[in-house]
Amino acid sequence: MARRKKYKHDEDHVDESWLVPYADLLTLVLALFIVLFAMSSVDAQKFQQIAKAFNSTFAGGTGVLDYPSPTTSDEMEQLNIQDKQLTKEAAEEAQKQLEQEKLKEVQDKINAYIKENMLETKLKTTLTDEGLLITILNDIFFDSGKAEIREKDKKLAMEISELLVMNPPRNIIVSGHTDNVPINTSDFDSNWHLSVIRAVNFMKLLIENEKLDPKAFSAKGFGEYKPVATNDTKEGRQKNRRVEVLILPYEQK
C-alpha cells in the first residue's frame, strides 16, 4: 500500500525542470534572429545600438553580440556608400519624372496654341527622354534656298518665343535641317551651311524676346543628315526641311 501511494504522488507532480533549458533555448533563438536581422541592415550605427541593448540584457555572461561582426568596418562603410547612391538615384529619378510632368504642361500649352491657330500641318510637338521637341516646317519661315526669315512670318516666330517663356527657364537648342537636294550658291556651299544659318537666324529672332535668356540658347545645323522621312518624294523632302526647337529638362545646380 505504501508503494502505491508513493507512485500516485509521483504522478501528481510531473517533473517540469525541462522548461528551464527550453525557455533558455527559445531566448537564444530569438536573439539569433534579431542578430541576423541587425546584420542584414546597412546602418552600422543602428546595428551597434542593438548590440549594446542585447549585451546589457544578457549581462552576467558572455554577450551574444560580444563576438566580432562578420561584416568588417570597411564593408559596412561600403554598404553605406551604396545605400547613399541608391537614395541619390531614387531622388534623381523622382526629379526626372517631375520635370517630365512639367514639360507635359508646356506641351499642352503649345498644342492648344497650334490648334487655336490651325497650324497642325506646320507645327508639332513631341515629348521625348531628351526633352520637349517642337518641329517647325521650314516652308513657313524661309523661301527655298534662303536663310532669312520672311517678314510676314516674323510675327509667328515671336509668338512661338512667348511659348518658350518658362519658370524656371530651360536650356533650348535650335537646330536646322534640310532635304538632300544639293545646293551650291554664292551664299551657301552646302545644305549643312544653309541649315546652320537658318537655325542661327531663327534663334536670334527668338531671343529678341526680352523675357528669354540668351545664355540658355544654342544653335546647331545638321543639313540633310538627320531626315525624318524619305527624300524620294516631295512630301518627304518637305518634312525634312525643318527647324527644331528642343526644350531640355531643367537641371538643378
Side-chain angles (χ1 to χ4, degrees):
M1 290 293 293
R3 288 183 180 179
R4 288 181 184 176
K5 289 181 179 180
K6 184 178 182 180
Y7 180 76
K8 188 175 185 304
H9 175 78
D10 291 340
E11 284 184 340
D12 291 340
H13 297 83
V14 178
D15 185 8
E16 297 179 350
S17 61
W18 61 273
L19 288 175
V20 176
Y22 180 73
D24 290 341
L25 178 61
L26 289 180
T27 303
L28 290 174
V29 170
L30 174 62
L32 174 62
F33 279 110
I34 295 176
V35 170
L36 292 175
F37 175 79
M39 289 168 56
S40 68
S41 172
V42 297
D43 192 329
Q45 185 176 1
K46 289 183 179 180
F47 177 80
Q48 293 300 326
Q49 291 174 350
I50 294 174
K52 288 180 181 180
F54 272 94
N55 280 332
S56 298
T57 302
F58 293 104
T62 302
V64 177
L65 303 179
D66 280 342
Y67 296 99
S69 170
T71 305
T72 65
S73 59
D74 289 341
E75 290 173 337
M76 292 298 291
E77 183 178 355
Q78 184 63 31
L79 289 172
N80 281 327
I81 292 173
Q82 292 176 357
D83 186 45
K84 290 179 181 178
Q85 289 175 342
L86 290 173
T87 303
K88 182 180 179 181
E89 290 175 1
E92 290 175 349
E93 184 61 29
Q95 177 63 31
K96 180 180 177 181
Q97 183 63 33
L98 178 62
E99 182 59 19
Q100 283 290 96
E101 293 175 2
K102 291 183 178 179
L103 287 179
K104 181 64 170 61
E105 294 177 3
V106 177
Q107 182 186 31
D108 292 341
K109 181 177 70 172
I110 297 174
N111 285 342
Y113 169 83
I114 292 173
K115 184 177 181 180
E116 181 181 347
N117 292 274
M118 295 180 290
L119 294 171
E120 288 88 350
T121 60
K122 301 297 183 180
L123 281 76
K124 72 173 183 178
T125 65
T126 309
L127 188 58
T128 70
D129 290 338
E130 290 184 288
L132 176 58
L133 182 67
I134 306 171
T135 301
I136 309 164
L137 296 183
N138 280 343
D139 292 351
I140 67 173
F141 285 124
F142 306 100
D143 290 324
S144 179
K146 302 294 182 180
E148 296 297 325
I149 297 177
R150 293 188 297 247
E151 194 66 32
K152 65 179 182 179
D153 295 321
K154 288 185 177 180
K155 181 177 181 294
L156 175 59
M158 292 308 297
E159 288 176 355
I160 292 175
S161 76
E162 286 292 332
L163 297 172
L164 301 179
V165 177
M166 291 166 282
N167 186 26
R170 273 82 171 169
N171 289 330
I172 294 175
I173 301 173
V174 180
S175 59
H177 303 263
T178 68
D179 57 28
N180 68 346
V181 178
I183 184 173
N184 190 358
T185 67
S186 58
D187 294 323
F188 308 105
D189 57 10
S190 66
N191 282 323
W192 177 83
H193 188 190
L194 174 63
S195 68
V196 171
I197 302 304
R198 281 180 168 176
V200 170
N201 286 344
F202 185 67
M203 181 188 69
K204 288 168 62 178
L205 188 57
L206 291 177
I207 59 179
E208 285 183 11
N209 187 340
E210 295 181 353
K211 299 175 186 176
L212 297 174
D213 184 359
K215 295 194 296 293
F217 284 77
S218 60
K220 295 181 179 181
F222 293 98
E224 71 264 33
Y225 300 110
K226 286 197 173 183
V228 293
T230 178
N231 281 302
D232 295 335
T233 65
K234 179 181 178 181
E235 293 76 13
R237 290 191 295 272
Q238 183 184 33
K239 291 180 180 179
N240 290 331
R241 296 191 301 268
R242 68 197 190 278
V243 170
E244 292 180 338
V245 178
L246 179 62
I247 304 172
L248 299 177
Y250 175 71
E251 295 183 0
Q252 294 182 343
K253 297 179 181 180

